[in-house]
Amino acid sequence: MSIDAARSFRHHVNRMSTLQAEVAPCFGNGIIDYAGLAQLGSRSGFDFTAAEARKVLAVRGELSDFEREIAVGGMLACGLPGAMHR
């Protein structure tokens, strides 16, 4: 398990539109499903915990197009202010 794997998964998702469709439901109703992200990451070969996903997404920085789309679509993602976490 590692922060690096969670970071790598985030980058992988940003390049794979098919995976984005699977990840999007983890960002709904103002809640981020970190356990769900870790499960999807594991299925894609990235071994990290829900806590590690939370740390990676809490880092402020530039959002990818996919991440902006989630935020604009009424869902909160990637440590945006006001996001609730599970």
Side-chain angles (χ1 to χ4, degrees):
M1 315 267 172
S2 80
I3 294 285
D4 289 336
R7 235 182 252 119
S8 293
F9 180 65
R10 181 179 183 182
H11 295 298
H12 183 68
V13 168
N14 286 320
R15 292 188 308 267
M16 303 288 296
S17 60
T18 54
L19 192 53
Q20 290 170 6
E22 292 182 59
V23 167
C26 292
F27 298 91
N29 300 317
I31 297 171
I32 300 173
D33 180 3
Y34 294 105
L37 290 172
Q39 289 174 346
L40 287 170
S42 180
R43 285 194 348 228
S44 298
F46 299 89
D47 194 22
F48 57 91
T49 65
E52 290 164 337
R54 177 180 291 214
K55 286 180 184 177
V56 167
L57 294 180
V59 173
R60 305 233 184 249
E62 188 173 326
L63 299 176
S64 70
D65 290 341
F66 169 67
E67 292 164 340
R68 273 192 296 279
E69 202 173 291
I70 287 175
V72 171
M75 295 181 246
L76 299 172
C78 302
L80 292 177
M84 296 175 63
H85 307 287
R86 230 200 282 186

